[in-house]
Amino acid sequence: MNAATLGRGAVAALVAGAMMLGAASAETLRLSHNVGDTTTWQQGAEKFNELISEATDGEIDVRVFPNAQLAGGDQMKQAEMIGRGALDLVLTSAINVTPLVPEMAVFSLPYLYSSYDEVDATTQGEPGRMMADILLDKGIVVLAWGENGFREVTNNVRPITAPEDMKGLNMRVAGPMYIDVMNALGANPQQMQWSETLTALQQGVVDGQENPIGAVIIPQQVYEMQKYITTWHYSYDPIFLGISKAKWDSYDAETQDKLRTAAQEAMAYQRQITREGTANGIDFLTEKGMEVYEPTAEELQAFRDATKPAFDEWAAKVGPEIVAAFQSAIEAAE
């Protein structure tokens, strides 16, 4: 073997070693979210993986786990797990964090919002930053806000046109505030993990459920199990992409900036496709055989009046300063 050959061999060894070092230094982060892999939640999570992998030249990769798999199917448990560093990343909704952070119920107070402009004034404005500060105290760094959407009610018993139509219906709900809302309407709320809900609807264990059209009802094919839907827009549900503070603190400022930038772009994309799906959703659901009822302004006011006790009770739990900050931002956006 001559010197030239030795030189080429040494270079090849160095290149191979560098490649192995790069592979060894690549990090895979685990991201847990609440719903199935056909949803805009999943699409947003996959977009985040694509963007952060590109921004870090493959040094950070994100593996997505739907249906709260990493929390044993318990979507409420994810926030606590991320707070103590047992999960790297979470994509979850505000209402699913309320057992840990009751203030997060502010987003979902019944009939707080009437438009996307009002929503964006809070999630993308000062109120959103206020809530991110509260979550930070629980060990969760909010990277960006996405969207589950306005929650609409479906059932298999009868059309819902007035509050009294809710009486006696067994309704699956996601969290404590919705239990009080359903009680105010005379329904029988049953808190249940989403991973169990589709089976419960198929088997008639519950009569109905409430969820956004674009993010859940269509991609999870709820229309195959439910006959009636009322677009009552009674509650809004944002989602957020969060990272464990312990994991966040392990990165330098440049990497943190890349993570936040990727998250914000991914959630902007997720909000867009969710709203597009919602805009086209009524026609789609009608084609699939659902009976759609769109309440008048007067009928919506009746629902608003009926759920006012739940609004007042949860506004007190959230805190008057937080509610006032949200209402001010909403009024400015009108």
Side-chain angles (χ1 to χ4, degrees), residues 147-175:
E147 178 160 287
N148 200 21
F150 285 101
R151 303 179 74 97
E152 317 295 13
V153 65
T154 72
N155 83 101
N156 262 339
V157 177
R158 55 180 170 263
I160 304 298
T161 65
E164 47 267 30
D165 294 327
M166 293 293 297
K167 289 182 178 176
L169 294 182
N170 294 318
M171 297 297 299
R172 179 270 176 180
V173 295

Side-chain angles (χ1 to χ4, degrees), residues 3-83:
T5 304
L6 279 171
R8 288 195 296 271
V11 170
L14 284 170
V15 171
M19 292 176 65
M20 290 178 64
L21 183 61
S25 65
E27 180 180 22
T28 297
L29 302 180
R30 299 181 306 159
L31 186 155
S32 179
H33 73 78
N34 301 9
V35 291
D37 60 7
T38 61
T39 61
T40 64
W41 296 47
Q42 177 82 13
Q43 290 173 270
E46 290 173 349
K47 173 66 76 172
F48 174 64
N49 175 41
E50 173 189 319
L51 292 168
I52 193 59
S53 180
E54 180 181 345
T56 62
D57 294 323
E59 289 184 7
I60 295 179
D61 178 66
V62 176
R63 186 177 176 193
V64 181
F65 294 84
N67 292 316
Q69 292 174 33
L70 300 181
D74 187 343
Q75 59 202 48
M76 295 290 187
K77 191 178 178 183
Q78 294 172 118
E80 176 268 330
M81 291 178 69
I82 203 90

Side-chain angles (χ1 to χ4, degrees), residues 258-317:
K258 289 177 180 178
L259 284 162
R260 193 177 293 280
T261 298
Q264 290 176 347
E265 184 176 339
M267 288 299 97
Y269 164 75
Q270 190 272 338
R271 290 196 306 275
Q272 176 188 342
I273 60 175
T274 297
R275 291 178 185 184
E276 288 172 354
T278 298
N280 300 324
I282 296 301
D283 288 342
F284 178 86
L285 294 175
T286 300
E287 290 171 7
K288 290 296 183 180
M290 288 196 85
E291 291 188 19
V292 180
Y293 189 79
E294 301 184 64
T296 65
E298 292 77 14
E299 288 168 334
L300 286 176
Q301 187 60 48
F303 284 115
R304 186 177 290 108
D305 293 342
T307 55
K308 185 67 163 53
F311 182 105
D312 292 341
E313 180 181 347
W314 278 87
K317 291 180 181 180

